[in-house]
Amino acid sequence: MSGRLSLPVGRTALAVSVVVGLAVPVASAQEVRVGYVHVMDLAGRPVTDVAQDEFEIEESGREARIVAARNGSEPMKISLLVDNGDAMRAGQAVNPLRDAVAAFLEALPPQHSVSLFTIGGQVRRLVDFTTDRQELIETGRSIFTDQAGGVRFVDAIRETLDRRYDGDEAWPVFVALLSDAPEASAFMNDRRFLRFVNDLRAAGVMIHVVQWSAAGRDRPDSATSFAVNLTGNTGGRYRSLAVATGMVNAMAELGAALGAHYEEMSSRYVVVYERPDPPGRRVRVRVTRPAVGVRLYPDRSLDR
């Protein structure tokens, strides 16, 4: 007997209603959705060779078109975005920043590839995706601050996703280490931002942010609202710090947490589908292979 599971659509829908500080329209009913599916044999062991054409998804009996189904067991592909703007220098946070980058890389399990970027003023790639921790750590310890007063947080994610990811990764991840500098990205149109968030969700992107505020509070023009928005909408973690030296422990904890989270979630398939027209109230996922069971999850949030 083939495996199937149905859930109310509210538990599997990837709505983008958690938008902080932006006046945006409600997302279209035709948006692409993502579900995370655990397939197991009769003994409860993960089945890791299910092909895309073996998955079927319906909403209230209406078939959905599956766009992609990816095995989640490939390593994470992580872009590490570091704010090296003038706020870090002014707050005497350069050494804690360098130590925090090293702490994250040392805590992250070695199989996951990482690229290193600075995003103060402009987006600069320092190291392309690699598992060479020594190269990453040495480069991170040589980061210097830029005179720029702003940080290009949103632009860095958008540009890096477009240029450095293939689009078929099972674990596309962004980790940002930010100050409270003003958000200087050009990508600020509300409608474009909503579409951008939907695209992130459809691609299974997770964004995590550690942010230090030099004044012990958030500036009204800082990247905070975008950081909270994007981490909340992608299942990531947002952490705010009042002391620069706290960046080191926060980044080490995040690196270890990502590794543990991967071990827990890597047996789940990432299934991307287009909702039928009209959409339904209940989602059912089925695998046509006999003698398997399935379990459907709405996300793979780090903190849920």
Side-chain angles (χ1 to χ4, degrees):
M1 182 176 180
S2 60
R4 67 175 66 195
L5 182 75
S6 62
L7 289 174
V9 71
R11 293 184 59 189
T12 56
L14 298 188
V16 290
S17 57
V18 188
V19 180
V20 179
L22 295 175
V24 295
V26 176
S28 166
Q30 299 304 309
E31 70 193 82
V32 173
R33 298 285 175 88
V34 180
Y36 299 91
V37 182
H38 183 51
V39 183
M40 66 209 85
D41 62 19
L42 296 180
R45 295 174 298 226
V47 178
T48 60
D49 62 345
V50 181
Q52 178 176 326
D53 60 7
E54 293 183 87
F55 287 98
E56 295 179 354
I57 292 182
E58 298 176 350
E59 287 194 4
S60 298
R62 291 183 287 274
E63 184 177 359
R65 187 177 78 87
I66 295 179
V67 177
R70 301 185 288 271
N71 190 305
S73 61
E74 68 179 59
M76 290 184 285
K77 190 173 180 180
I78 302 171
S79 290
L80 179 54
L81 312 177
V82 180
D83 176 1
N84 67 325
D86 193 57
M88 290 290 185
R89 180 199 59 79
Q92 299 183 337
V94 178
N95 286 333
L97 177 151
R98 294 169 177 167
D99 291 342
V101 170
F104 173 80
L105 294 166
E106 289 166 351
L108 184 74
Q111 73 267 35
H112 304 295
S113 63
V114 180
S115 59
L116 178 61
F117 297 79
T118 54
I119 60 173
Q122 60 182 301
V123 181
R124 293 190 181 97
R125 188 182 77 215
L126 304 183
V127 182
D128 205 354
F129 288 105
T130 180
T131 57
D132 186 339
R133 294 292 187 266
Q134 182 176 355
E135 178 186 8
L136 288 160
I137 290 172
E138 288 179 355
T139 304
R141 290 200 179 279
S142 68
I143 290 175
F144 288 91
T145 56
D146 196 293
Q147 293 299 313
V151 59
R152 291 182 58 195
F153 171 55
V154 177
D155 277 350
I157 297 171
R158 179 177 60 88
E159 293 174 11
T160 304
L161 189 63
D162 287 345
R163 299 172 185 175
R164 307 308 305 164
Y165 287 81
D166 299 327
D168 60 353
E169 291 87 358
W171 283 90
V173 178
F174 289 81
V175 172
L177 181 60
L178 303 178
S179 71
D180 60 353
E183 171 58 71
S185 294
F187 193 69
M188 291 300 158
N189 177 279
D190 287 354
R191 187 176 297 277
R192 291 173 67 197
F193 186 79
L194 174 61
R195 186 164 56 247
F196 174 58
V197 173
N198 280 329
D199 290 344
L200 292 174
R201 299 292 297 266
V205 172
M206 296 184 73
I207 299 171
H208 310 276
V209 174
V210 171
Q211 186 175 31
W212 163 67
S213 174
R217 56 183 175 82
D218 296 323
R219 296 167 48 127
D221 59 348
S222 76
T224 302
S225 63
F226 294 95
V228 172
N229 178 300
L230 293 174
T231 53
N233 273 306
T234 63
R237 174 180 293 178
Y238 172 79
R239 185 166 178 184
S240 178
L241 304 169
V243 180
T245 54
M247 293 189 293
V248 180
N249 285 339
M251 289 293 284
E253 291 171 2
L254 180 57
L258 287 181
H261 184 67
Y262 170 84
E263 292 300 323
E264 180 184 355
M265 300 288 182
S266 60
S267 63
R268 301 179 188 179
Y269 290 84
V270 184
V271 181
V272 184
Y273 71 96
E274 290 180 350
R275 301 187 70 188
D277 186 14
R281 295 182 59 84
R282 295 184 68 85
V283 175
R284 172 177 292 177
V285 61
R286 177 173 178 264
V287 174
T288 57
R289 182 182 304 195
V292 298
V294 300
R295 187 171 182 182
L296 176 64
Y297 297 85
D299 57 42
R300 54 185 181 195
S301 170
L302 182 60
D303 291 322
R304 288 200 297 272

